[in-house]
Amino acid sequence: MSDYRRYFVRGGTYFFTVVTERRASLFADEKAREILGNVLRESVIWRPFKVLAIVLLPDHLHAIWQLPAGDDKYDIRWNWIKRQFTMRWLRTGGREQRRRRSRIRERRRGIWQRRYWEHLIDDEYDLENHVDYMHYNPVKHGYVKRPRDWPESSFHRWSMLGHYDLDWGRSYIPVELPGNAGE
């Protein structure tokens, strides 16, 4: 087993990739998107943080969060989000991936991959690269021809703020970020 350690910085800005179990296209379902949206909004109230950017694809999501000064507890937030989503999704009759005996023994559901990937944003250049990467992700995966055509994305907000023109991503291809090649 790998010796993976998370990096916690108070007030840090983080890029996350969170994936469904076995890459199930869970978020192709409108009800799943609605539940996740509600849970994310509640999590910001429960334990404040800023969502700087987000994109939701059928089987995973990318998000950039800025934590409050003095707070480095993104792990508590993700655990709560995943747990709340799972409970609400299953309560509405949503399906989960088949679970192996070890998952059942560990009382884990078949909704999310156990781990998620996080990266501490170093500076403005790093932030810009990660925001571009996530907003281009629906194009990279072949869902749309340009980022503006993907509705579950903060691209639209960033475009209204003047960061992108509406045709961005049609000809410009952002840099592939380290660690995301297998995404």
Side-chain angles (χ1 to χ4, degrees):
M1 183 170 207
S2 66
D3 186 27
Y4 181 78
R5 298 190 193 278
R6 297 210 179 274
Y7 191 43
F8 297 94
V9 173
R10 292 180 177 169
T13 300
Y14 291 89
F15 169 85
F16 299 99
T17 300
V18 184
V19 182
T20 62
E21 181 67 20
R22 295 190 194 139
R23 293 246 175 215
S25 294
L26 184 64
F27 299 112
D29 186 304
E30 184 178 340
K31 186 65 177 171
R33 294 191 304 269
E34 180 184 325
I35 293 169
L36 183 63
N38 290 337
V39 169
L40 283 169
R41 284 185 287 279
E42 290 170 25
S43 70
V44 171
I45 295 167
W46 168 69
R47 199 160 187 137
F49 62 96
K50 285 184 183 175
V51 178
L52 300 181
I54 191 165
V55 64
L56 179 63
L57 289 101
D59 63 352
H60 70 284
L61 67 93
H62 296 292
I64 298 179
W65 292 359
Q66 182 177 31
L67 299 179
D71 188 343
D72 65 358
K73 305 295 187 213
Y74 61 81
D75 58 334
I76 291 171
R77 290 169 173 90
W78 275 120
N79 288 340
W80 187 86
I81 290 165
K82 290 167 82 173
R83 188 172 39 254
Q84 287 295 314
F85 174 85
T86 298
M87 288 185 331
R88 295 175 195 191
W89 174 247
L90 294 174
R91 199 177 313 138
T92 64
R95 297 183 52 121
E96 64 182 314
Q97 295 299 299
R98 186 177 168 145
R99 298 182 294 158
R100 294 188 176 98
R101 287 185 186 152
S102 61
R103 268 188 168 275
I104 295 168
R105 193 172 40 250
E106 294 169 3
R107 299 179 64 202
R108 291 183 48 228
R109 304 306 307 217
I111 303 294
W112 300 101
Q113 283 187 7
R114 184 176 190 174
R115 295 188 180 265
Y116 54 88
W117 193 78
E118 102 279 339
H119 164 77
L120 177 67
I121 300 292
D122 296 326
D123 53 29
E124 288 296 319
Y125 179 75
D126 194 26
L127 175 63
E128 185 175 325
N129 281 338
H130 280 81
V131 169
D132 287 353
Y133 172 82
M134 22 180 317
H135 287 148
Y136 190 76
N137 215 241
V139 177
K140 172 188 168 187
H141 287 286
Y143 294 118
V144 292
K145 298 271 188 225
R146 54 191 177 199
R148 80 174 188 190
D149 297 334
W150 190 252
E152 287 82 30
S153 172
S154 58
F155 174 83
H156 311 285
R157 180 169 42 101
W158 281 72
S159 182
M160 285 182 3
L161 294 171
H163 186 74
Y164 299 114
D165 68 49
L166 281 178
D167 241 11
W168 180 90
R170 190 173 171 101
S171 59
Y172 170 75
I173 299 175
V175 173
E176 181 71 28
L177 298 170
N180 286 317
E183 176 215 337

